[in-house]
Amino acid sequence: MGVQKTVIRNDLRNVAIIAHVDHGKTTLVDGLLKQGGIYRDNQETVTCVMDSGALERERGITILAKNTAVHYKGVKINIVDTPGGEVERVLKMVNGVLLLVDAAEGPMPQTRFVLQKALELNHRVIVCINKIDKPDARLGEVEDEILELLMDLGATDEQLDSPMVFCSGRNGTASYDWTHPEHGTDL
C-alpha cells in the first residue's frame, strides 16, 4: 500500500457556519441560497430550509448538521450549518469557518466555545456580524468584543486579520463597512 496524497482543489471550499444559539445561522444560509440561484424566480420558498425535520421546524432550531452548496466565481462552496452538539465533528471536516455573531448580543458563551475549537484547528475565520438591522444593534462595540475574544483565545496574526462582514441574513444584505451599509452588496 502506498501513501495516500491529499489533493488540494482550488475550485472547492468547505465552510462551517458557527455561532451561539439563535444568532441567525440558518437564516443566513437561506439568504445565501436565494442569492446563489438555487431557486427559480417563480419558485415558492420556505424559511429555514435547512431545518427539514419536524422537530426542528416546530422548535425553530437546528438539531442535526446539514450541508448545502453555492457556486461563486467558479468555486463550489459547501456550507455546513452546525448545531451545538455536532460542532467539533464538523470542524474537523472543513477548511474554514464563518463566525456569526448577533449585532445586539455580541459574543456569547457558545461563541467562545466554537471559536476556540476552530482556532485550535487553525481554521481561517470570516467574522459575520448579523442582525445589523436590529434597533439595539451595537456594531462598534460588538466588533471590539469579537477582536478581544480572538486575542483572548490566542488567534494567530492571520486569524486576527480576519475579514469582518456586517449583514442582515433576513434582508439578504452584507457590507464590509457598518457605517455605510448602502455600500454593501447582496449576500
Side-chain angles (χ1 to χ4, degrees):
M1 282 185 150
V3 175
Q4 188 177 25
K5 185 176 180 181
T6 302
V7 177
I8 298 173
R9 293 178 52 179
N10 290 329
D11 62 344
L12 178 67
R13 300 289 183 280
N14 297 308
V15 178
I17 299 181
I18 59 174
H20 187 77
V21 173
D22 213 25
H23 279 202
K25 295 185 303 280
T26 304
T27 303
L28 182 69
V29 171
D30 282 351
L32 291 169
L33 290 174
K34 286 175 186 170
Q35 292 178 24
I38 299 299
Y39 304 110
R40 295 183 313 273
D41 288 339
N42 63 345
Q43 185 175 358
E44 187 175 323
T45 61
V46 295
T47 56
C48 299
V49 70
M50 296 288 280
D51 287 341
S52 55
L55 187 58
E56 290 176 316
R57 289 207 181 276
E58 177 185 323
R59 294 180 60 194
I61 60 169
T62 302
I63 297 170
L64 299 172
K66 294 174 193 71
N67 70 297
T68 189
V70 294
H71 294 269
Y72 180 74
K73 295 185 178 182
V75 177
K76 180 180 180 182
I77 304 169
N78 291 316
I79 302 168
V80 185
D81 189 356
T82 58
E86 296 187 6
V87 171
E88 290 183 76
R89 181 177 61 86
V90 169
L91 286 176
K92 293 177 181 175
M93 298 185 287
V94 297
N95 309 103
V97 297
L98 189 112
L99 175 69
L100 197 62
V101 179
D102 183 292
E105 292 184 1
M108 301 294 284
Q110 193 174 359
T111 310
R112 181 180 192 86
F113 174 79
V114 295
L115 180 57
Q116 181 175 10
K117 296 298 179 190
L119 296 176
E120 288 171 1
L121 291 166
N122 202 32
H123 282 317
R124 297 183 80 180
V125 178
I126 297 172
V127 176
C128 197
I129 299 178
N130 192 26
K131 303 183 181 185
I132 64 169
D133 52 329
K134 288 175 79 169
D136 57 345
R138 309 176 297 114
L139 301 171
E141 293 170 47
V142 169
E143 182 178 12
D144 290 344
E145 291 169 8
I146 294 167
L147 290 172
E148 286 176 26
L149 179 59
L150 283 163
M151 288 186 284
D152 287 349
L153 294 175
T156 65
D157 288 343
E158 182 181 32
Q159 291 165 329
L160 282 171
D161 198 30
S162 296
M164 198 161 297
V165 179
F166 301 88
C167 70
S168 169
R170 181 184 303 151
N171 295 333
T173 59
S175 175
Y176 288 116
D177 183 359
W178 63 267
T179 62
H180 293 91
E182 70 277 5
H183 296 158
T185 183
D186 290 339
L187 290 172

